[in-house]
Amino acid sequence: MAVSRFTETMYATAEFSSKGLVTGEPTCPVRHTWGEVHERARRIAGGLAAAGIGPGDAVPVLAGAPVEIAPAGQGVWMRGASLTMLHQPTPRTDLQRWAEETNAVIKMIGAKTVVISDPFVAAAPLLSQL
């Protein structure tokens, strides 16, 4: 897959930029440099490659925290795949109905794999059953 000049510049900027992603609570912010976000994205892209994900594939993501979402999105795009954010269940959600609807979306987009991160890892077995 060809890497564009823009992408090369983006990767180089990520490595040396002092800017980044700020997460956490307003009273306790945590800064993640773009280099850190990019390194995590590279690991995610490697995992997606191992799962057989490539250009044109659809990858649904179920993640709750920005520290997880940003690198997951970047990792999916590094593989040339498209990203679909799945609806997040809430404490009042009927989990069986949520799982059935989520499974329908996964099938609709033809996904081979799903990226799930905290706090939703506990939902993985429910989705796997379907």
Side-chain angles (χ1 to χ4, degrees):
M1 176 173 27
V3 177
S4 73
R5 185 180 196 112
F6 171 78
T7 303
E8 288 175 355
T9 302
M10 181 181 68
Y11 292 162
T13 301
E15 187 174 351
F16 300 108
S17 174
S18 62
K19 299 185 185 309
L21 176 70
V22 179
T23 63
E25 298 299 321
T27 58
C28 189
V30 178
R31 179 170 295 281
H32 309 270
T33 67
W34 287 129
E36 292 167 338
V37 172
H38 179 68
E39 178 56 36
R40 186 171 176 106
R42 286 178 45 186
R43 290 193 306 270
I44 292 168
L48 291 170
I53 300 301
D57 287 331
V59 179
V61 174
L62 180 60
V67 71
E68 301 291 341
I69 295 168
Q74 192 179 96
V76 169
W77 296 327
M78 285 174 157
R79 295 299 306 145
S82 66
L83 171 81
T84 298
M85 293 300 297
L86 296 172
H87 289 218
Q88 301 173 358
T90 67
R92 293 187 298 248
T93 300
D94 175 340
L95 285 180
Q96 187 61 41
R97 181 176 174 194
W98 169 84
E100 290 167 0
E101 291 173 354
T102 300
N103 191 53
V105 169
I106 292 167
K107 287 181 178 181
M108 178 184 67
I109 65 174
K112 299 179 196 173
T113 191
V114 178
V115 174
I116 300 178
S117 72
D118 285 333
F120 304 114
V121 173
L126 182 59
L127 291 175
S128 294
Q129 290 174 7
L130 299 173

